[in-house]
Amino acid sequence: MNYMKMAADATVVGMENKFGGPFGATLVRKGEVIVSVSNTMMRDTDPSAHAEMVAVREACKKLETMDLSDCEIYATCEPCPMCVGAILWAGIKTVYYSNTREDAAKHGFSDMHLRNYLDGTDKSSLAMIHTGGCPECDSLWETFDKINLNDVEKER
């Protein structure tokens, strides 16, 4: 099965429906297609609705787990840092992609501001200020331990 073609086909449908730009992703688990989606930023008015993010969200709901470590993603374009973060949090170990970040930039979709911020070459785009000293925030760790949300995921 051509998973990359499925991602491209989902992208075309998404663009035709004005869901979002030229990006798509297919998430596969042990040879079974779980989802094949397009970017939905325009439809959802959501800057985080990149195709890889949509694929991870929909797959987690469909499979009723946040652990996608037995899945892989086929993306029409190299994932941005936000998407890589979600992919890593979901435990996915392999991403196949067709177009590069340079290809995307040639068409007005550059993520270099994110990459430059994360690698430390440009910190001017975002002020990150550690305030510390909030007892209510500090106590959240203790509350988490008492509630033991980890068991909820383990039971699935």
Coordinates of all heavy atoms in Angstrom, one line a residue, residues 77-78 97 99-112 115:
C77 N 5.4 16.3 4.0 CA 6.5 17.2 4.1 C 7.2 17.0 5.5 O 6.6 16.5 6.4 CB 6.0 18.6 4.0 SG 7.3 19.9 3.9
E78 N 8.4 17.3 5.5 CA 9.2 17.2 6.8 C 8.5 17.9 7.9 O 8.2 19.1 7.8 CB 10.6 17.8 6.6 CG 11.5 17.8 7.7 CD 12.9 18.4 7.4 OE1 13.1 18.8 6.3 OE2 13.7 18.3 8.3
Y97 N 9.0 11.1 5.2 CA 8.5 12.3 4.6 C 9.0 12.5 3.2 O 10.1 12.0 2.9 CB 8.8 13.5 5.5 CG 10.3 13.9 5.7 CD1 10.9 14.8 4.8 CD2 11.1 13.3 6.7 CE1 12.2 15.1 5.0 CE2 12.4 13.6 6.8 CZ 13.0 14.6 6.0 OH 14.3 14.9 6.1
N99 N 8.6 15.8 0.9 CA 9.2 17.1 0.7 C 10.0 17.6 2.0 O 9.7 17.1 3.1 CB 8.1 18.2 0.4 CG 7.4 17.9 -0.9 OD1 8.1 17.7 -2.0 ND2 6.1 17.7 -0.9
T100 N 10.9 18.5 1.7 CA 11.8 19.0 2.8 C 11.3 20.3 3.3 O 10.5 21.0 2.7 CB 13.2 19.1 2.4 OG1 13.3 20.2 1.4 CG2 13.7 17.8 1.8
R101 N 11.9 20.8 4.4 CA 11.6 22.1 5.0 C 12.0 23.2 4.0 O 11.3 24.2 3.9 CB 12.2 22.3 6.3 CG 13.8 22.4 6.2 CD 14.4 22.6 7.6 NE 14.8 21.3 8.2 CZ 15.6 21.2 9.2 NH1 16.2 22.2 9.7 NH2 15.9 20.0 9.6
E102 N 13.0 22.9 3.2 CA 13.4 23.9 2.2 C 12.4 23.9 1.0 O 12.1 25.0 0.5 CB 14.8 23.5 1.6 CG 16.0 23.6 2.6 CD 16.1 22.4 3.5 OE1 15.5 21.4 3.3 OE2 16.9 22.6 4.5
D103 N 11.8 22.8 0.7 CA 10.7 22.8 -0.3 C 9.6 23.6 0.2 O 9.0 24.4 -0.6 CB 10.3 21.4 -0.6 CG 11.3 20.5 -1.2 OD1 12.2 21.0 -2.0 OD2 11.3 19.3 -0.9
A104 N 9.2 23.5 1.4 CA 8.1 24.2 2.0 C 8.4 25.7 2.0 O 7.5 26.5 1.7 CB 7.8 23.7 3.4
A105 N 9.6 26.1 2.4 CA 10.0 27.5 2.5 C 9.9 28.1 1.1 O 9.5 29.3 1.0 CB 11.4 27.6 3.1
K106 N 10.2 27.4 0.1 CA 10.1 28.0 -1.3 C 8.7 28.4 -1.6 O 8.5 29.2 -2.5 CB 10.7 27.0 -2.3 CG 12.1 26.7 -2.3 CD 12.5 25.7 -3.3 CE 13.9 25.1 -3.1 NZ 14.2 24.0 -4.0
H107 N 7.8 27.8 -1.0 CA 6.3 28.0 -1.3 C 5.7 28.8 -0.1 O 4.4 28.8 0.0 CB 5.6 26.7 -1.5 CG 6.1 26.0 -2.7 ND1 5.7 26.3 -4.0 CD2 7.1 25.0 -2.8 CE1 6.4 25.5 -4.9 NE2 7.2 24.8 -4.2
G108 N 6.5 29.5 0.7 CA 6.0 30.4 1.7 C 5.6 29.7 3.0 O 5.0 30.3 3.9
F109 N 6.1 28.5 3.3 CA 5.8 27.8 4.5 C 7.1 27.5 5.3 O 7.5 26.4 5.4 CB 5.1 26.5 4.2 CG 3.7 26.7 3.7 CD1 3.5 26.6 2.3 CD2 2.6 26.9 4.5 CE1 2.3 26.7 1.7 CE2 1.3 27.1 3.9 CZ 1.2 27.0 2.5
S110 N 7.7 28.6 5.8 CA 9.0 28.4 6.5 C 8.8 28.2 8.0 O 8.0 28.9 8.6 CB 9.9 29.6 6.3 OG 11.1 29.4 7.0
D111 N 9.5 27.2 8.6 CA 9.4 27.0 10.0 C 10.7 27.4 10.7 O 11.0 27.0 11.8 CB 9.0 25.6 10.4 CG 10.0 24.6 9.9 OD1 11.1 24.9 9.3 OD2 9.7 23.4 10.1
M112 N 11.6 28.1 10.0 CA 12.9 28.5 10.5 C 12.8 29.3 11.7 O 13.7 29.2 12.6 CB 13.7 29.1 9.4 CG 14.2 28.2 8.3 SD 14.9 26.6 8.9 CE 16.4 27.2 9.7
R115 N 12.7 26.7 14.4 CA 14.0 26.0 14.5 C 15.1 26.9 15.1 O 15.9 26.5 15.9 CB 14.4 25.5 13.1 CG 13.4 24.4 12.7 CD 13.8 23.9 11.3 NE 12.8 23.0 10.7 CZ 12.6 21.7 11.0 NH1 13.4 21.1 11.9 NH2 11.6 21.0 10.5

